[in-house]
Amino acid sequence: MVKQIPKVLISEERIAARVAELGAQISEDYKSKDLLMVGALKGSVVFMSDLMRAVDSPMSIDFISASSYGSGVNTSGVVKIVQDMTADIAGRDVLIVEDILDTGTTLRHLAKLLLERGPKSLKIAALLEKPSRKVVNIQADYVGFTIPNVFVVGYGLDFDEQYRNLPYVGVFD
Ligand code: IMP
Ligand code: MG
């Protein structure tokens, strides 16, 4: 398979520096809380694995898989839980970890679902945010980078399941 090499939008170094800042902030905010990070599969895995190691307060993790995109670049607007989490989140301080806040459809759906399960608190961390694409009124509490309306890949984000392993966030020419 011949692949295009995406050009760097956010370098490994910039990502590492920003993730360290977010981790420090989260450590401070959750110092005396019962933090459960819930990664939205699959796009959040790279971000979450770095972010959790930047947190020095006690915490645990779980994962949930929702899909709103098909295999291409256009959202279907329909969100489906493909695989649910296993932890009981009642009374816990839940932080949803997402790769990107695009239209907001996926996160709104996830947040609504998790809120029904009675967490003590619910916040959202997103590596990226594309404000120009937002159609749903939802705000992330922690945002890595705000980017323009371009389709990005790498550091967990895919195009047709490819490019998730790139160590940087890139765009196609
Ligand atoms: P939303 O529901 O429109 O906010 O879309 C959220 C999901 O769409 C993300 O979790 C990503 O999986 C995917 N997505 C949105 N924008 C991009 C992009 O630029 N590159 C790769 N995936 C994206
Ligand atoms: Mg995707």
Side-chain angles (χ1 to χ4, degrees):
M1 177 185 218
V2 182
K3 291 215 302 184
Q4 259 184 284
I5 311 235
K7 80 172 199 277
V8 177
L9 181 69
I10 310 170
S11 69
E12 259 185 277
E13 291 73 20
R14 282 182 66 205
I15 295 171
R18 185 67 185 125
V19 169
E21 286 175 2
L22 291 175
Q25 184 66 56
I26 291 167
S27 304
E28 179 62 27
D29 296 351
Y30 286 87
K31 238 184 345 227
S32 49
K33 297 193 172 154
D34 180 20
L35 172 59
L36 173 67
M37 274 190 191
V38 178
L41 294 172
K42 303 170 207 165
S44 71
V45 287
V46 180
F47 175 42
M48 183 151 134
S49 60
D50 283 342
L51 185 65
M52 64 192 273
R53 284 177 290 173
V55 170
D56 61 12
S57 41
M59 56 161 289
S60 47
I61 65 166
D62 204 339
F63 293 96
I64 193 163
S65 179
S67 78
S68 69
Y69 268 33
S71 56
V73 295
N74 289 309
T75 185
S76 64
V78 180
V79 181
K80 186 169 97 203
I81 300 298
V82 178
Q83 189 186 300
D84 206 341
M85 54 193 294
T86 54
D88 179 4
I89 64 169
R92 307 198 60 187
D93 296 297
V94 175
L95 179 62
I96 300 177
V97 179
E98 247 289 35
D99 53 356
I100 184 165
L101 183 47
D102 187 29
T103 64
T105 314
T106 310
L107 268 175
R108 205 244 323 247
H109 186 88
L110 272 182
K112 188 165 166 275
L113 180 81
L114 297 196
L115 273 177
E116 284 165 7
R117 299 177 181 178
K120 184 169 175 203
S121 67
L122 183 72
K123 286 192 183 182
I124 293 168
L127 173 70
L128 305 171
E129 177 180 49
K130 276 185 207 169
S132 59
R133 292 262 305 162
K134 199 182 279 189
V135 298
V136 163
N137 184 25
I138 185 154
Q139 213 69 47
D141 302 275
Y142 305 95
V143 176
F145 302 91
T146 298
I147 62 167
N149 185 16
V150 288
F151 192 83
V152 290
V153 295
Y155 199 69
L157 291 112
D158 73 303
F159 173 68
D160 227 352
E161 294 301 328
Q162 295 293 314
Y163 303 101
R164 293 193 197 275
N165 57 318
L166 279 183
Y168 59 90
V169 172
V171 287
F172 298 105
D173 275 325

